[in-house]
Amino acid sequence: MVLKSFVEVQPDSHFPIQNLPFGVFRPDPNSDPRPGVAIGDYVLDLSVISSAGIFDGEFLKNSDSFNQPNLNKFLELGRPAWREARATLQKLLSADEPTLRDNGILKQKALVPMDKVQMLVPIAIGDYTDFFASMHHAKNCGLIFRGPENPITPNWFHVPIAYHGRASSIVISGTDIIRPRGQGYPTGNSAPYFGPSRKLDFELEMAAVVGPGNGLGKPIDINEAADHIFGLVLMNDWSARDIQAWEYVPLGPFLGKSFGTTISPWIVTLDALEPFAVDAPEQNPPSLPYLTEKKSKNYDISLQVSVTPAGHKETCIVTRSNFNNLYWTITQQLAHHTINGCNLRPGDIFGTGTISGPEPESYGCLLELTWNGQKPLTLGGVTRAFLEDGDEVIFTGICKGEGYSVGFGTCTGKISPSPRDLN
């Protein structure tokens, strides 16, 4: 029997009672930010529910974590509190529970139409790390830049590769992305190019949100890593390929990445994703003991990228991929991140890197889809090698259950022109 809510939920909704993702919102422009969960076309205001005394369990009864402008305090409480909150909310919103269903005043105050709210970055992000965890993406990048002799460097199969990103430029879905300026490869004997990026790209990623974290010098065991991951969001780690190509030797990405990263507003918990767990790919050679899991799993999350070209109404699907294309799991990524004693904190996030599949239609960025501009795409009558000003990119992610779906909503961003007054 499929669990039902008294709140009407359309069959194609991303937010049934089986999901209940967490976010932060303003019910109106003059209100303070507060936590909420998505249910159908509504946001349930957790500050209202908390003030009504409905969270009366062991971990949340005396907590003010839902009277905060972000979710960090709630994340710090850990998995027992997360599960208590989820169970309480599923019961509260179920079709046969009268507490909220039959209380007209409380219901009107607590359930806010989603199209009336402003969604915000749901966490205070202290640090952000980006991994390189898809074998297909790694291989394609190697083929493009190094050729077929050595497309994937030997270390990649032993160590989850990553770099530290810029947390301050992570923005919420719907925020415009200003085309970055920077240096590119010189032509012949000329000076390096300087100006707006000529190879602006999207990257189809997801990001894990860190829960309690760990103390400095205290690594997290691989088989306990899931207890430190609250959930996942969609993430577009925009990339200026020309700037990145010129700058990345010898220290890696910098200005080609740090100008903007977009995340979706709703964090889907690992508990909501558990019914969609699948076996992760077999790793060959076997991972080192500190990365070897008792149960190695990914999630069956269908991912899609669409582009609406500037001046056009038609949106074109350019990529269909899946989270299960990751070679290195999110738990391996987290365990590796801490193995040297690095301390992760509540609200930190780490991206998976571009999630590409084995087929051309599953490649997760324009660098791969157009083979670095050599094979432009046709989008509704126009061609694109890389993104043009005014183009909008839309990510979606969804898990299909029996009689319901668990989704992430959308992660969108439109390219704005580079400022003209910079030299």
Side-chain angles (χ1 to χ4, degrees), residues 36 106 108 233 410:
L106 182 61
Q108 184 176 12
V233 295
T410 60

Side-chain angles (χ1 to χ4, degrees), residues 109-138:
K109 192 175 181 181
L111 286 169
V112 186
M114 195 176 289
D115 60 3
K116 302 294 185 184
V117 308
Q118 177 192 6
M119 298 305 300
L120 306 170
V121 175
I123 44 183
I125 304 170
D127 282 298
Y128 155 50
T129 303
D130 194 35
F131 280 86
F132 190 49
S134 163
M135 181 177 67
H136 304 294
H137 176 61

Side-chain angles (χ1 to χ4, degrees), residues 73-131:
K73 197 165 186 178
F74 177 55
L75 300 183
E76 189 175 0
L77 296 177
R79 186 168 296 280
W82 307 340
R83 286 181 167 164
E84 180 181 288
R86 177 173 168 79
T88 300
L89 293 170
Q90 279 195 325
K91 179 182 177 183
L92 180 69
L93 290 165
S94 63
D96 56 358
E97 172 59 42
T99 303
L100 183 61
R101 183 194 66 195
D102 297 346
N103 187 330
I105 295 175
L106 182 61
K107 185 165 64 173
Q108 184 176 12
K109 192 175 181 181
L111 286 169
V112 186
M114 195 176 289
D115 60 3
K116 302 294 185 184
V117 308
Q118 177 192 6
M119 298 305 300
L120 306 170
V121 175
I123 44 183
I125 304 170
D127 282 298
Y128 155 50
T129 303
D130 194 35
F131 280 86

Side-chain angles (χ1 to χ4, degrees), residues 70-222:
N70 57 56
L71 290 168
N72 289 48
K73 197 165 186 178
F74 177 55
L75 300 183
E76 189 175 0
L77 296 177
R79 186 168 296 280
W82 307 340
R83 286 181 167 164
E84 180 181 288
R86 177 173 168 79
T88 300
L89 293 170
Q90 279 195 325
K91 179 182 177 183
L92 180 69
L93 290 165
S94 63
D96 56 358
E97 172 59 42
T99 303
L100 183 61
R101 183 194 66 195
D102 297 346
N103 187 330
I105 295 175
L106 182 61
K107 185 165 64 173
Q108 184 176 12
K109 192 175 181 181
L111 286 169
V112 186
M114 195 176 289
D115 60 3
K116 302 294 185 184
V117 308
Q118 177 192 6
M119 298 305 300
L120 306 170
V121 175
I123 44 183
I125 304 170
D127 282 298
Y128 155 50
T129 303
D130 194 35
F131 280 86
F132 190 49
S134 163
M135 181 177 67
H136 304 294
H137 176 61
K139 181 179 179 180
N140 287 334
C141 290
L143 288 170
I144 290 170
F145 293 114
R146 288 189 300 274
E149 296 79 15
N150 185 30
I152 303 181
T153 55
N155 66 330
W156 192 91
F157 290 99
H158 294 277
V159 56
I161 303 295
Y163 73 95
H164 291 287
R166 183 74 183 173
S168 64
S169 56
I170 296 175
V171 297
I172 198 67
S173 174
T175 305
D176 286 354
I177 296 296
I178 298 172
R179 182 178 297 274
R181 287 181 172 240
Q183 294 188 30
Y185 264 105
T187 301
N189 295 322
S190 67
Y193 165 80
F194 175 76
S197 171
R198 296 167 171 172
K199 290 186 175 183
L200 190 55
D201 200 355
F202 64 80
E203 286 196 356
L204 174 61
E205 303 196 24
M206 299 194 77
V209 178
V210 175
N214 58 304
L216 184 65
K218 298 179 179 179
I220 295 173
D221 183 272
I222 182 64

Side-chain angles (χ1 to χ4, degrees), residues 411-423:
C411 178
T412 69
K414 182 181 288 187
I415 305 304
S416 291
S418 181
R420 295 180 180 276
D421 58 349
L422 297 177
N423 293 315

